[in-house]
Amino acid sequence: MFDVCLLGTGGMMPIPGRWLSSLLIKCNGKMILVDCGEGTQIPLRMAAWGFKAIEAILLTHYHADHIAGLPGLLLTIANSGKVEVLTLIGPPGLKQVVDGLTVISPQLPYELELIELSDINGDSTSLHNININSLPADHSLPCLAYSFELPRNRRFNAGRAKGLNIPIQYWKDLQRGISVTLENKTIRPDMVLGPLRKGIKVCYCTDTRPTEDLEEFISGADLFICEGMYGKNDELEKARQNKHMTFSEAALLAKRGNVNELWLTHYSPSLKDPEVHIEGVRAIFQKTIAGKDLQSKTIKFNDTDTEADFGK
């Protein structure tokens, strides 16, 4: 399962009662942070999920409201006792940006591993069984949208395994996709495993115009967290000029992508009360929520069929 926490929902600058847009994902005791604007340490501390377990920090792009909090956070993570490698992932230019920012956070007790992803084509990497995919966004400088997918094991067919006389001590290996050899006969996992099952998918995107590629990228997501810089439809021209989205555009994107739930984020500082506009947006996509700082959710596999059929 995934635990997700929307640390902040602001764009451009933090304002009283609203931190800058950032997302925290926790899975199997490991955490991934997406974006780190100024002040991100504060909602991180308020969330009380800790700092030491942060394994990676992903950056959508290098505008200050998405990265200026990095030096202080790196020092806070150091003070948490972390000595293991910390991975930083972002579009091209990552090394130059990190080199500049870490001038004021030198001598970290852990190594920084930098992974630059393409801003021309979709790219991918993985971290602790989480598949991370990226897609170039339509913004004023290189920017990436991210998806996080947790695959799900195929269901183990105990009856089929018994019919093949496979001793129970080999069942776990087969469920993990490892072939076993019995009496000079190879037993392949697909001989005892059911069809592929849907895992968990969370998508995050800020600072972009809606695109057809983005519709496909978010397809079927359990949770889509998307920027809603402007709440009013009459601000569409401003959204186009500044390479952002209105609430309605984000909702239409969620509808076309057939996602399960939409959280809006990255509000303009002038947008005082996002809830004022939410009912109209729900006419486009019903499961739309105006994101709030420290809003969290646990996402589990889609049905009760979560365990292997051992012993049945």
Side-chain angles (χ1 to χ4, degrees):
M1 67 181 184
F2 273 169
D3 290 307
V4 298
C5 181
L6 191 57
L7 296 173
T9 57
M12 297 178 65
M13 64 181 185
I15 62 175
R18 185 187 297 163
W19 299 106
L20 289 170
S21 295
S22 182
L23 177 70
L24 189 60
I25 295 175
K26 180 166 62 175
C27 180
N28 297 324
K30 307 294 184 180
M31 296 195 298
I32 297 172
L33 177 70
V34 187
D35 279 343
C36 185
E38 57 189 292
T40 297
Q41 290 165 277
I42 298 175
L44 262 170
R45 187 171 295 280
M46 294 169 69
W49 289 11
F51 292 89
K52 188 176 181 181
I54 296 176
E55 295 285 309
I57 301 174
L58 278 64
L59 302 164
T60 56
H61 63 294
Y62 305 131
H63 277 152
D65 57 333
H66 295 261
I67 194 171
L70 185 63
L73 179 60
L74 294 179
L75 291 171
T76 298
I77 293 174
N79 290 335
S80 75
K82 185 178 180 67
V83 294
E84 301 82 8
V85 173
L86 177 66
T87 302
L88 301 182
I89 299 173
L94 178 64
K95 185 179 187 305
Q96 180 183 4
V97 170
V98 172
D99 284 349
L101 290 174
T102 51
V103 168
I104 58 173
S105 57
Q107 299 178 335
L108 298 172
Y110 50 81
E111 179 184 347
L112 295 177
E113 177 188 19
L114 306 186
I115 300 177
E116 289 193 357
L117 302 179
S118 173
D119 65 326
I120 299 174
N121 302 303
D123 214 337
S124 62
T125 186
S126 62
L127 186 72
H128 299 295
N129 202 37
I130 300 173
N131 298 323
I132 301 172
N133 297 297
S134 66
L135 178 77
D138 180 14
H139 194 43
S140 56
L141 79 175
C143 183
L144 299 175
Y146 290 107
S147 76
F148 305 88
E149 297 187 50
L150 182 64
R152 187 178 184 188
N153 290 336
R154 295 159 65 183
R155 186 174 175 84
F156 185 86
N157 190 318
R160 195 178 299 169
K162 290 175 182 177
L164 293 170
N165 296 316
I166 303 172
I168 195 169
Q169 63 264 32
Y170 296 107
W171 290 10
K172 286 187 177 181
D173 282 342
L174 287 165
Q175 193 200 18
R176 294 187 185 111
I178 302 171
S179 297
V180 300
T181 301
L182 302 173
E183 299 178 352
N184 297 320
K185 181 181 178 181
T186 299
I187 305 295
R188 302 185 313 276
D190 59 11
M191 298 168 68
V192 292
L193 297 180
L196 293 174
R197 298 189 288 177
K198 184 181 183 300
I200 295 172
K201 181 177 179 179
V202 174
C203 296
Y204 182 85
C205 135
T206 68
D207 293 56
T208 183
R209 295 291 299 145
T211 66
E212 290 185 9
D213 286 344
L214 194 50
E215 289 178 22
E216 181 178 354
F217 184 72
I218 66 173
S219 177
D222 298 279
L223 176 61
F224 176 37
I225 300 171
C226 181
E227 76 142 275
M229 190 76 172
Y230 306 105
K232 300 177 182 177
N233 290 334
D234 61 12
E235 294 177 291
L236 177 58
E237 186 55 37
K238 187 188 298 185
R240 287 173 175 157
Q241 291 175 357
N242 296 327
K243 296 287 188 177
H244 285 289
M245 284 193 232
T246 65
F247 280 21
S248 294
E249 287 181 307
L252 185 58
L253 191 57
K255 179 180 179 179
R256 290 175 174 171
N258 194 30
V259 306
N260 185 57
E261 188 173 8
L262 167 65
W263 289 4
L264 294 169
T265 188
H266 201 271
Y267 307 130
S268 167
S270 63
L271 182 55
K272 302 303 182 184
D273 186 4
E275 288 286 349
V276 169
H277 308 284
I278 207 67
E279 285 306 317
V281 176
R282 285 178 180 155
I284 301 171
F285 185 75
Q286 178 61 36
K287 292 185 178 180
T288 300
I289 294 174
K292 298 178 181 179
D293 289 13
L294 298 175
Q295 180 172 305
S296 64
K297 180 183 181 75
T298 296
I299 304 173
K300 299 181 180 179
F301 289 123
N302 206 22
D303 56 45
T304 57
D305 183 18
T306 57
E307 299 296 334
D309 231 353
F310 294 128
K312 294 185 179 178

